[in-house]
Structures are given as structure tokens and as C-alpha cells.
Amino acid sequence: MALTLYQHTSIGQALIDTIDAFVNEGRIEPQLAMKMMATFDKVITDVLAEKVKARLTFKGHLDTYRFCDDVWTFLIKDVNFKLDNQSVLQAEKVKIVSCNGKKPGEV
């Protein structure tokens, strides 16, 4: 199962809109569009794992959690985030989706 989690981000949606426009204009084939999105999913996962070094901690009240198809989903209320630079951010609700980062068969 290929993860498409990052396709639902603003950058992922912008890429989808652009690729759809290219397909509709006949500038690229639909098969190429699918390959581009699969490449996007792999590359963004790898880049985030390698390049992002910032850390944060958070505290809140766990409202709901579930585990389905190797994906954890947590819904947290009244969340306080503390960033590396000691800045504090607050949010009324946060949804965290966590997927296994290893490929099948990888140890």
C-alpha cells in the first residue's frame, strides 16, 4: 500500500492541481501524472526524514485514538506546543496521523 498522506497537504494539492491541468490540456499522459505523484510521495517522505531537524514537544488532552491498517490517528484537544526556540503555540484541536516509516520487509 503506497502512502499518499502528503498529497493532502497544501503543496501536495497544488501539485495535483497543476498535474491535472497538464493532463486536461494534453501536455502529459495520465500514466506520467500517476508516476509523478508516486515520486512526490517517496521524495517528500525522504526529504523530511533527512532535512528536518527541528524538535517540539506538546501536551494536551487525548480525545480519541484509533489504529487501522497500520495507521495511528490521535485527536487531541487544548494542545500546547513548545518549540526548540522555547516559543509556545496553542491549538484548540490537533489531529496526528502516524504511519510506519519502514517499507515492507525492512528491519
Side-chain angles (χ1 to χ4, degrees):
M1 175 180 111
L3 296 178
T4 60
L5 186 63
Y6 294 109
Q7 290 183 18
H8 301 288
T9 63
S10 57
I11 193 169
Q13 287 297 310
L15 180 60
I16 289 170
D17 292 344
T18 302
I19 290 173
D20 283 347
F22 283 176
V23 170
N24 291 335
E25 294 169 5
R27 294 172 70 181
I28 63 173
E29 296 294 321
Q31 296 83 356
L32 178 58
M34 291 175 19
K35 181 148 178 71
M36 290 169 73
M37 289 312 301
T39 301
F40 169 76
D41 292 329
K42 181 184 179 339
V43 169
I44 197 162
T45 301
D46 292 345
V47 168
L48 288 173
E50 292 173 14
K51 302 288 183 184
V52 176
K53 303 298 180 204
R55 301 275 183 215
L56 66 82
T57 58
F58 65 91
K59 192 178 219 180
H61 302 284
L62 181 61
D63 183 53
T64 307
Y65 66 94
R66 65 181 148 266
F67 181 70
C68 182
D69 295 332
D70 284 333
V71 177
W72 279 101
T73 304
F74 301 93
L75 301 175
I76 306 169
K77 291 185 175 179
D78 303 319
V79 184
N80 290 315
F81 293 95
K82 191 172 187 180
L83 306 174
D84 277 345
N85 64 5
Q86 303 303 310
S87 298
V88 177
L89 303 171
Q90 296 179 327
E92 187 178 318
K93 295 180 192 174
V94 174
K95 180 179 182 179
I96 298 174
V97 179
S98 176
C99 308
N100 187 354
K102 296 185 190 260
K103 298 175 181 96
E106 190 177 36
V107 181

